[in-house]
Amino acid sequence: MQVGLSVYGTTFSMGVHPASGRPTLRPQQLMEQALALGLQGVELPFVFLNGADIEALRRYAQEQQLFITLDTYGYDPEHLSEVLELGARLGVTTVRTLVGGAKLGGDRREMVGHWQDYLQQALAGFQQATVVAERLGVNLAVENHQDIASEELLWLCSTIASPQFGIVFDTGNPLATAEEPLDFTRRIAPYVKHMHLKDYWIYLSEEGYRLVRCPLGQGVINFPAMLDILAQTGHEITKVVELGALEGRHVRVLADDYWPEYPPRSAPHFAQVWRFVQQHARPVGEWRTPFELREPVEAVVAYEQRQLASSLAYLQMLFGGPNQQEVLSGRF
């Protein structure tokens, strides 16, 4: 089971968040951290590669038997082609991108009247970029980044119809587009190229619910069932630990104006999601992270590291991988 490390669940620890005041981790440093934690790969933001020695990084990854996924954004075909070319030089398996447009938490209200045109533009860009992906033998995969629903992901995949185009499955994000996680998994499973392992706690609100980051295995995601569904496809799927953002995500499914730009959903579909939310909602209480509570940088870093250590211990229990002694001794 290949599991790697992403920077986005530990943005203070790795100097990615500007408020951390820390130097940003360099690509080989991220690889070294992954190795120290007993992991088998990394997901690198493409911006980390500015000025980097690509061939040296490729050799290092090959020597250490680490997979690399390259992270970018958007659907501009020129930009994606450039990143795909860079990925091919680096020896990556997948370039991850996102559609965007909606606010996090699945909020499309600012896109009313424009969402369908936006999706058509994204489709056109992905179609052009996929030609390059096919030539290079690198996957181009779109994440469910709390912006695009399973219906639309399936439409993109079936329309483009290329073995090099698919989905980056963020395990926590189906809830942000009002979808039950295992149902979402069953729908998209044939197209998954890469995964972000993420878990959430749920807190009810007057307009819907909030998704708040937590260690893997302590939230609402049924990882054993989810991984079993994906294993049945027979596809090799790389995975990275990507804990949630430092800000809670508000999914306002009970707001009157939340739904106009969503695909048609049946009453049983919504009942399934709402039943899941109610069954897993935590008691009313403080849901804000140390970052949201404006605690010192050191407290935010410690919070991130505790959650990462707990997550890696859970993954070891789930399918073996990280050296638990190294994780718990604080080598991160």
Side-chain angles (χ1 to χ4, degrees):
M1 185 71 71
Q2 289 191 308
V3 179
L5 185 62
S6 166
V7 302
Y8 289 117
T10 45
T11 56
F12 263 61
S13 302
M14 296 184 179
V16 177
H17 198 296
S20 71
R22 292 185 162 205
T24 302
L25 214 64
R26 295 189 297 275
Q28 185 164 325
Q29 290 177 314
L30 181 62
M31 294 183 193
E32 290 166 354
Q33 282 200 1
L35 289 168
L37 294 169
L39 297 172
Q40 296 80 44
V42 294
E43 182 171 298
L44 280 172
F46 88 99
V47 294
F48 276 29
L49 298 175
N50 289 336
D53 186 334
I54 301 301
E55 294 307 315
L57 289 173
R58 178 182 180 130
R59 285 195 304 272
Y60 183 80
Q62 289 177 335
E63 290 166 1
Q64 301 298 328
Q65 298 183 315
L66 292 170
F67 75 82
I68 302 175
T69 299
L70 203 53
D71 167 74
T72 190
Y73 53 82
Y75 53 82
D76 177 73
E78 291 187 11
H79 170 73
L80 291 176
S81 297
E82 179 183 347
V83 177
L84 286 162
E85 295 278 1
L86 183 61
R89 289 176 54 203
L90 196 57
V92 311
T93 53
T94 299
V95 167
R96 166 267 187 195
T97 189
L98 55 87
V99 167
K103 290 185 176 180
L104 295 173
D107 190 342
R108 303 178 178 183
R109 289 180 290 184
E110 291 186 0
M111 295 291 289
V112 170
H114 306 287
W115 181 252
Q116 295 305 317
D117 289 341
Y118 186 82
L119 287 182
Q120 290 293 336
Q121 293 171 23
L123 171 64
F126 292 145
Q127 286 174 319
Q128 292 182 56
T130 299
V131 175
V132 178
E134 291 174 337
R135 174 172 58 81
L136 298 171
V138 176
N139 295 325
L140 175 63
V142 178
E143 182 184 348
N144 59 315
H145 194 250
Q146 303 203 3
D147 48 7
I148 187 167
S150 64
E151 297 96 332
E152 294 149 340
L153 286 166
L154 292 173
W155 167 71
L156 286 172
C157 289
S158 62
T159 304
I160 294 173
S162 168
Q164 302 300 150
F165 183 84
I167 295 169
V168 173
F169 176 28
D170 186 299
T171 58
N173 284 352
L175 289 162
T177 51
E179 300 185 71
E180 195 277 330
L182 291 183
D183 181 58
F184 187 100
T185 307
R186 293 185 190 96
R187 291 167 61 82
I188 67 160
Y191 300 102
V192 175
K193 306 292 188 183
H194 179 62
M195 292 179 70
H196 291 167
L197 301 177
K198 181 186 292 178
D199 208 349
Y200 277 126
W201 286 322
I202 294 176
Y203 291 84
L204 293 175
S205 72
E206 290 185 1
E207 289 187 299
Y209 50 91
R210 287 186 172 87
L211 303 175
V212 178
R213 63 178 282 163
C214 70
L216 302 181
Q218 295 186 24
V220 304
I221 301 303
N222 185 340
F223 286 102
M226 191 173 276
L227 292 169
D228 182 63
I229 292 167
L230 292 165
Q232 293 175 32
T233 67
H235 300 153
E236 182 69 25
I237 300 172
T238 52
K239 305 166 182 66
V240 293
V241 177
E242 191 201 77
L243 303 178
L246 290 167
E247 305 91 347
R249 305 307 194 193
H250 199 176
V251 188
R252 294 176 166 87
V253 295
L254 301 182
D256 292 339
D257 58 352
Y258 178 83
W259 293 100
E261 290 297 336
Y262 269 83
R265 299 273 176 84
S266 67
H269 177 109
F270 183 76
Q272 178 190 41
V273 176
W274 194 244
R275 187 163 52 245
F276 181 93
V277 167
Q278 290 186 313
Q279 287 173 348
H280 292 89
R282 294 170 70 85
V284 175
E286 181 58 75
W287 53 268
R288 292 173 296 175
T289 69
F291 173 76
E292 291 171 301
L293 292 169
R294 301 181 182 276
E295 294 185 16
V297 168
E298 294 76 13
V300 179
V301 170
Y303 167 82
E304 289 181 336
Q305 293 188 3
R306 286 194 305 271
Q307 289 202 341
L308 180 62
S310 295
S311 297
L312 296 181
Y314 170 75
L315 292 179
Q316 183 191 39
M317 178 193 70
L318 187 62
F319 44 64
N323 182 311
Q324 187 176 23
Q325 189 60 41
E326 290 182 348
V327 171
L328 298 182
S329 66
R331 287 191 59 182
F332 173 66

